[in-house]
Amino acid sequence: GAGVSQTPSNKVTEKGKYVELRCDPISGHTALYWYRQSLGQGPEFLIYFQGTGAADDSGLPNDRFFAVRPEGSVSTLKIQRTERGDSAVYLCASSLAGASNEQFFGPGTRLTVL
Amino acid sequence: GENVEQHPSTLSVQEGDSAVIKCTYSDSASNYFPWYKQELGKRPQLIIDIRSNVGEKKDQRIAVTLNKTAKHFSLHITETQPEDSAVYFCASSDKAAGNKLTFGGGTRVLVKP
């Protein structure tokens, strides 16, 4: 079956602009995670959804970052007033919460803020 | 919160030799320890994982060991091949905390033919 997909694969924007990054999880996966990976580092947790609700948003760096998952499937990560320091690869992962810990990652969106 | 340290940051081995990567974690509640392989520009791919109720797991040339008392776990790759060259990440999670993964800093492995 289809894996986790993310769009766009690359996004270049200017400082101060608003961006939306989309994640399509594996069908039937109730848990969805967003991570951010800076160059040469491991992914860092941002936010976790169980169904439609954000169960843990402790990794969001500040209030410019927000994510939604209105129907419990597709999720959108929204970044307002982007800064150069937001440049990174944003990874999405999904899993069958409760049945397995294994998280399946998407290919990521590379965000570049000029 | 959880902290995961990974060593070494780079590892160069001759083809056919073994490679060992070590990680330590801080949260005694962590109960799941996956290892991911990430090739340049690609997504992280799970290669093996271990849960806190076992001490060792093996899958062909790859094995992982876990010492809960010492809070460390290790990845062992035997008979390395050039296609094993990649960045490897260890991670930990606690199911009770939603399974969010805390990653180590990564190990860049280069297998020289």
Side-chain angles (χ1 to χ4, degrees):
Chain A
V4 178
S5 62
Q6 292 184 246
T7 54
S9 56
N10 280 283
K11 176 70 177 177
V12 180
T13 191
E14 294 179 342
K15 180 176 178 296
K17 299 290 188 182
Y18 168 82
V19 297
E20 290 189 352
L21 312 179
R22 176 187 168 110
C23 172
D24 280 86
I26 293 172
S27 178
H29 281 193
T30 57
L32 185 147
Y33 305 80
W34 283 98
Y35 296 86
R36 179 168 72 173
Q37 186 173 26
S38 299
L39 192 63
Q41 298 181 22
E44 293 179 311
F45 169 77
L46 296 176
I47 186 170
Y48 152 58
F49 287 90
Q50 179 57 42
T52 60
D56 183 350
D57 64 358
S58 62
L60 295 178
N62 51 61
D63 60 7
R64 294 187 298 105
F65 289 74
F66 189 71
V68 296
R69 194 186 185 199
E71 298 178 357
S73 179
V74 170
S75 176
T76 304
L77 178 65
K78 309 180 181 191
I79 310 174
Q80 300 177 322
R81 304 183 304 279
T82 51
E83 300 178 356
R84 293 194 179 88
D86 298 335
S87 296
V89 174
Y90 289 82
L91 293 165
C92 173
S94 70
S95 75
L96 283 168
S100 169
N101 302 81
E102 182 176 356
Q103 294 184 24
F104 297 83
F105 281 82
T109 293
R110 181 176 298 280
L111 175 66
T112 303
V113 182
L114 301 176
Chain B
E2 171 73 297
N3 183 52
V4 177
E5 300 283 342
Q6 183 172 346
H7 299 280
S9 57
T10 59
L11 181 59
S12 182
V13 297
Q14 207 65 39
E15 182 178 359
D17 288 349
S18 295
V20 180
I21 304 170
K22 299 182 178 181
C23 289
T24 60
Y25 63 99
S26 62
D27 188 352
S28 56
S30 292
N31 51 28
Y32 174 67
F33 307 91
W35 286 87
Y36 285 86
K37 176 183 181 182
Q38 188 174 33
E39 297 177 357
L40 190 63
K42 304 291 186 183
R43 73 187 76 194
Q45 299 261 8
L46 180 74
I47 56 171
I48 196 168
D49 57 12
I50 192 167
R51 300 178 196 280
S52 58
N53 58 346
V54 299
E56 185 172 357
K57 183 177 178 181
K58 189 174 181 180
D59 182 4
Q60 299 182 353
R61 296 186 297 108
I62 295 173
V64 58
T65 59
L66 170 65
N67 184 326
K68 283 184 62 181
T69 303
K71 296 202 194 87
H72 66 71
F73 56 114
S74 300
L75 178 72
H76 304 252
I77 307 173
T78 59
E79 302 171 26
T80 53
Q81 301 168 3
E83 53 265 37
D84 294 331
S85 296
V87 179
Y88 292 80
F89 292 98
C90 63
S92 71
S93 74
D94 172 12
K95 186 170 184 177
N99 294 329
K100 64 184 181 185
L101 294 171
T102 301
F103 285 84
T107 297
R108 183 173 299 278
V109 174
L110 175 63
V111 180
K112 296 179 288 185

